Amino acid sequence: MKTYHKVIFVCMDNTCRSIMAEAVMNSVNWKKTLQVLSRGLVVLFPEPMNPKAVAILKGNQLEPSKESSEQLSVEDLEAGTLVLTMTEYECCQAKESFQGEADIYSIGEFVRKPGDINLPHGGTLAEYGACYEYIDLMVKMAAERLLKEEAI
């Protein structure tokens, strides 16, 4: 497997799931420098982070890295970049838009645990909390794979 120096978590609008995934990955103790970012596939203008996602992060002693969403661009994708999307659909969209620019997988595909991390749009705080728990699990599985394969 390749060695990555940058991981970008991607969801549709970069206001909830990808920002939570970025915060979880940044909380992992790395033995090397790994740049971790989050971006959106459809960001027409910078939007503030979802307040429920921010509340869930803060409740887990994590902070979002930014205050507003950012669009994924070709400038983000350099050699050694791994892009992890929250759903298969977002993965297909990213591959179509950035063909050959980076290694792009859905997070489920990357950790070999099929399934999407769907947005709890308009859901309760508890539903956002459940989404965070699943993101936490999947991101830590991705981190474990990256660390294990780097040690080989």
Side-chain angles (χ1 to χ4, degrees):
M1 180 179 167
K2 288 184 178 181
T3 299
Y4 297 103
H5 69 273
K6 182 193 285 187
V7 175
I8 305 174
F9 291 98
V10 175
C11 66
M12 202 52 75
D13 64 0
N14 188 223
T15 61
C16 181
R17 296 167 296 152
S18 58
I19 198 75
M20 288 196 285
E22 177 189 4
V24 171
M25 185 65 95
N26 276 325
S27 73
V28 173
N29 283 328
W30 291 99
K31 296 176 180 148
K32 70 169 199 151
T33 302
L34 181 70
Q35 183 181 14
V36 181
L37 305 171
S38 66
R39 297 286 189 264
L41 291 174
V42 182
V43 180
L44 303 176
F45 54 89
E47 292 186 59
M49 296 298 108
N50 181 300
K52 290 179 182 174
V54 172
I56 293 297
L57 284 176
K58 289 183 181 220
N60 285 280
Q61 289 74 52
L62 298 174
E63 290 285 332
S65 66
K66 56 191 171 187
E67 294 183 10
S68 58
S69 59
E70 294 178 72
Q71 174 76 34
L72 181 65
S73 69
V74 72
E75 291 79 23
D76 292 320
L77 307 174
E78 56 201 37
T81 299
L82 172 65
V83 175
L84 296 175
T85 67
M86 301 292 110
T87 68
E88 287 293 328
Y89 175 78
E90 292 159 349
C91 183
C92 289
Q93 293 294 105
K95 284 180 177 178
E96 187 176 302
S97 297
F98 301 101
Q99 199 168 39
E101 297 292 336
D103 291 343
I104 302 171
Y105 303 93
S106 73
I107 193 166
E109 176 187 15
F110 187 74
V111 302
R112 298 178 182 101
K113 187 177 189 313
D116 289 341
I117 300 173
N118 293 308
L119 178 65
H121 184 71
T124 65
L125 195 57
E127 290 169 322
Y128 278 81
C131 181
Y132 167 81
E133 293 298 326
Y134 192 49
I135 288 170
D136 184 68
L137 171 69
M138 297 293 273
V139 168
K140 287 179 178 169
M141 288 173 68
E144 185 177 320
R145 179 173 174 197
L146 287 168
L147 287 168
K148 191 180 296 181
E149 293 186 4
E150 185 177 283
I152 294 175

